[in-house]
Amino acid sequence: MPARVLLIREGDDGDVPVPLVRVEEHQDGTGTTLPVADNGQVSRVWLDDVDDLALEHAGLADPQRDYRQLALAWAENLPPGRYRLSFQILDPKPDLAKIPAELLVAYRHKSK
């Protein structure tokens, strides 16, 4: 599912693009983290995981249902601030239109 994902940090001195990374999966099931191009284009999604318990506590997920999260890109070590996200599917597949989907902006699990 090719898409374009751009994240901009808004600031008093102007807007600054935030570098994003993605996973390039290999045949053996492993993956390599690579930078997303400056134009934000990513060629595919990968199966990922978010903090399901936090989603349930916020009322965004039903523990009786099964969910799958697909990731396009993420930003690493973001400082607090105001951000603007832009997301565009570049080649929408008609057969995917009947699958219920939501855009989720989430935090990954953080180890303690």
Side-chain angles (χ1 to χ4, degrees):
M1 182 169 69
R4 182 169 290 119
V5 182
L6 298 169
L7 184 63
I8 305 294
R9 185 163 199 266
E10 298 177 346
D12 294 336
D13 297 331
D15 296 347
V16 178
V18 175
L20 299 173
V21 294
R22 64 181 178 83
V23 169
E24 181 70 32
E25 292 181 305
H26 305 292
Q27 296 266 345
D28 64 1
T30 63
T32 304
T33 302
L34 299 173
V36 171
D38 290 340
N39 68 1
Q41 190 161 337
V42 293
S43 58
R44 56 180 25 166
V45 298
W46 67 92
L47 190 61
D48 207 352
D49 190 23
V50 297
D51 188 348
D52 298 326
L53 196 53
L55 292 176
E56 289 174 18
H57 285 130
L60 299 172
D62 179 351
Q64 305 303 316
R65 296 193 59 201
D66 188 27
Y67 296 91
R68 300 282 188 268
Q69 290 89 27
L70 301 175
L72 290 163
W74 75 89
E76 298 177 311
N77 304 316
L78 283 179
R82 186 177 171 129
Y83 294 87
R84 183 175 63 246
L85 175 67
S86 172
F87 168 75
Q88 177 186 15
I89 297 175
L90 299 175
D91 185 17
K93 305 289 185 216
D95 55 330
L96 295 178
K98 57 186 163 213
I99 299 172
E102 297 178 8
L103 177 62
L104 174 67
V105 177
Y107 292 100
R108 297 182 58 113
H109 294 283
K110 288 191 173 198
S111 58
K112 303 274 184 220

